[in-house]
Amino acid sequence: MLRDISHVLISEERIRKRVHAIGAQIAADFADSLDDDSPLVLMPVMTGALVFSADLIRHLPFKLKLELVAISSYPGKSMASKGVKMASELPKDLEGKHVLIVDDILDSGHTIAVLKSLIEEQSPASIKVCVMLEKQRNDGPPIVKADYIGFSIPDEFVVGYGLDYDGYYRNHPEIVTLREDAL
Ligand code: IMP
Ligand code: MG
């Protein structure tokens, strides 16, 4: 696996510090709006958000529920979105709750846009978006904005810390680019 790496964009140490800081920011922002009638539902988008959300939730010191959603937009070896497909059902009891969507990376924004509009139909108290990475795309900004962003990265294909290529490299602890011969 290590021989497939071209260069390290973000080290483990930088990730760890940034996740801590985002957690603190979310904790402060939500502290006054959560109560038993309007709790926080944290919604990681599987599978890319698995590692980030596992780290993030341990910095959030309040009652919350995890509701996983599965969406795929990069099936198999593709490196460009092939259209967004919901691969699981949304929970049906989001009315009045604060929903925080967590994803690995905001690229075109189509994934989050689809998910947000489906959640909105249920009249939640609020919807916020938290992503580990935002890609600075050569063809313009994403169609939705994230409320919390870990790092902005150049328009390159990256893996590690949950992000995959063909299902692999999610377990790598840094955010890296791959060598051409690994693609
Ligand atoms: P969007 O719908 O174009 O914003 O795509 C977002 C989804 O595509 C993310 O949830 C990721 O799963 C995937 N994705 C986008 N860029 C990358 C990348 O550089 N590496 C791995 N997955 C990516
Ligand atoms: Mg994803």
Side-chain angles (χ1 to χ4, degrees):
M1 184 166 81
L2 292 177
R3 63 166 291 282
D4 296 344
I5 292 170
S6 168
H7 61 275
V8 177
L9 247 68
I10 309 172
S11 69
E12 272 188 87
E13 176 70 0
R14 283 181 68 204
I15 294 171
R16 194 180 57 75
K17 287 187 174 147
R18 187 69 189 125
V19 173
H20 190 149
I22 294 179
Q25 197 187 337
I26 292 171
D29 290 353
F30 280 84
D32 294 333
S33 46
L34 303 179
D35 55 46
D36 286 346
D37 294 325
S38 46
L40 179 62
V41 175
L42 192 125
M43 198 175 280
V45 181
M46 291 291 111
T47 306
L50 188 145
V51 179
F52 177 38
S53 47
D55 284 345
L56 182 68
I57 54 175
R58 283 174 280 183
H59 295 289
L60 303 180
F62 31 67
K63 270 172 94 172
L64 61 81
K65 277 193 178 167
L66 273 183
E67 291 281 7
L68 310 184
V69 288
I71 302 183
S72 89
S73 59
Y74 278 53
K77 295 190 176 182
S78 52
M79 290 166 69
S81 183
K82 293 270 158 60
V84 178
K85 212 175 80 204
M86 288 290 294
S88 69
E89 290 209 359
L90 270 188
K92 293 186 168 53
D93 57 348
L94 300 174
E95 185 177 344
K97 296 180 178 162
H98 295 279
V99 180
L100 178 62
I101 299 170
V102 179
D103 206 356
D104 50 0
I105 186 165
L106 188 63
D107 187 8
S108 70
H110 283 106
T111 305
I112 301 295
V114 166
L115 184 55
K116 253 185 127 170
S117 68
L118 289 172
I119 296 169
E120 256 153 25
E121 290 173 9
Q122 293 191 39
S123 314
S126 69
I127 309 178
K128 293 275 184 327
V129 176
C130 174
V131 292
M132 183 63 196
L133 303 174
E134 182 179 65
K135 224 180 244 191
Q136 286 169 324
R137 292 157 58 83
N138 299 329
D139 53 357
I143 61 170
V144 287
K145 280 200 169 136
D147 301 280
Y148 304 96
I149 298 170
F151 300 93
S152 278
I153 61 163
D155 196 350
E156 289 185 286
F157 192 81
V158 294
V159 298
Y161 200 67
L163 292 115
D164 75 303
Y165 172 65
D166 195 23
Y168 293 108
Y169 309 107
R170 294 194 196 276
N171 54 316
H172 188 74
E174 314 161 299
I175 290 165
V176 302
T177 58
L178 290 175
R179 288 163 54 115
E180 296 245 325
D181 60 7
L183 298 172

